[in-house]
Amino acid sequence: MSVDSPATSRRLRDRLGARFTFLSDPGGLLLDALNIRHRGAKEGRDIAFPTAILVDRRGSARWVYESETYRQRAEPETIFAAIRAMNTP
Amino acid sequence: MLWVSWLLILACYGWFILGAMGSGPPIGHDEFIHARVPWRALGFVWLGAGLGLAALAKRRTLLSATSFGLQVLLVAFFSSYFLQGSFLPDHAVALEVGDAFPSYALLDQDEVVHSRDSNEPREPELYIFYRGDW
């Protein structure tokens, strides 16, 4: 999920060979709903604060990750642990 | 002194390039990926530039001046890369564990509409918000 246009996302997906969905939120509507709009952060454009959210079958957030910098990302092990915790009854 | 200054700066660039490619040796990998600001690497390049300046003060030749000018450019880029975006403004995601994910209707990379109704049951999903391509 980013503020990039679908065309930009398509180029990125093709470059990475990724198979997941790239959603475009150019107006930042979802960013505002989540309070993660970083104003003027990328050459004057608004972008998202780096964030990851795991949502369960009922639509509830089960894990929320906020990064402290643009270089930091949630490690795959951390994400898999959150998924395992969600799937554990 | 001049060659030591270059060694420090080029070693940090090597670490930077290999880390960015994700293919380098794991030396300092944690710092590259996890550190809010990799102060140790920044300290090395700044020390390198300091030694370059000291070399220039000792021998005021065209070579020393050119070398130091180049070092300043390299150190400025290195510093701006790591310091920019490393101090995000205070913010808090307006969503806590247990809250309903907001409804949306957005286009994907193929311009297909994806929508979510907060009350609609469906397979679990992982949303990753990133800064966009650059």
Side-chain angles (χ1 to χ4, degrees), chain A:
Chain A
M1 181 89 67
S2 76
V3 296
D4 284 348
S5 66
T8 303
S9 295
R10 189 164 56 247
R11 280 196 296 275
L12 179 61
R13 182 199 58 178
D14 292 346
R15 199 172 78 226
L16 298 176
R19 295 193 301 178
F20 46 79
T21 305
F22 287 73
L23 290 180
S24 289
D25 184 14
L29 298 175
L30 203 45
L31 306 190
D32 287 336
L34 293 166
N35 191 37
I36 55 170
R37 181 191 286 267
H38 189 180
R39 295 188 185 279
K42 188 178 171 189
E43 293 153 8
R45 272 178 72 201
D46 295 352
I47 56 173
F49 283 116
T51 309
I53 300 169
L54 182 63
V55 180
D56 68 13
R57 286 188 171 80
R58 292 172 303 163
S60 300
R62 294 292 294 267
W63 174 74
V64 180
Y65 172 86
E66 296 174 70
S67 174
E68 287 186 341
T69 84
Y70 280 111
R71 291 181 297 106
Q72 284 180 319
R73 285 145 200 151
E75 289 289 308
E77 293 77 18
T78 312
I79 296 172
F80 289 139
I83 293 171
R84 276 195 299 273
M86 179 177 70
N87 291 334
T88 305

Side-chain angles (χ1 to χ4, degrees), chain B residues 11-95:
Chain B
C12 288
Y13 261 85
W15 170 79
F16 170 62
I17 291 165
L18 291 173
M21 288 164 62
S23 58
I27 304 165
H29 183 71
D30 280 353
E31 193 177 24
F32 188 85
I33 299 295
H34 298 294
R36 191 171 184 191
V37 179
W39 290 114
R40 197 168 33 171
L42 285 171
F44 280 131
V45 291
W46 291 339
L47 179 63
L51 290 174
L53 181 62
L56 176 61
K58 198 173 171 186
R59 277 191 197 173
R60 298 193 175 191
T61 62
L62 183 63
L63 178 68
S64 301
T66 309
S67 164
F68 180 63
L70 194 55
Q71 287 179 338
V72 167
L73 287 177
L74 288 172
V75 171
F77 172 78
F78 195 90
S79 305
S80 74
Y81 177 84
F82 282 109
L83 294 175
Q84 197 180 37
S86 290
F87 298 97
L88 297 181
D90 278 343
H91 72 287
V93 179
L95 185 84

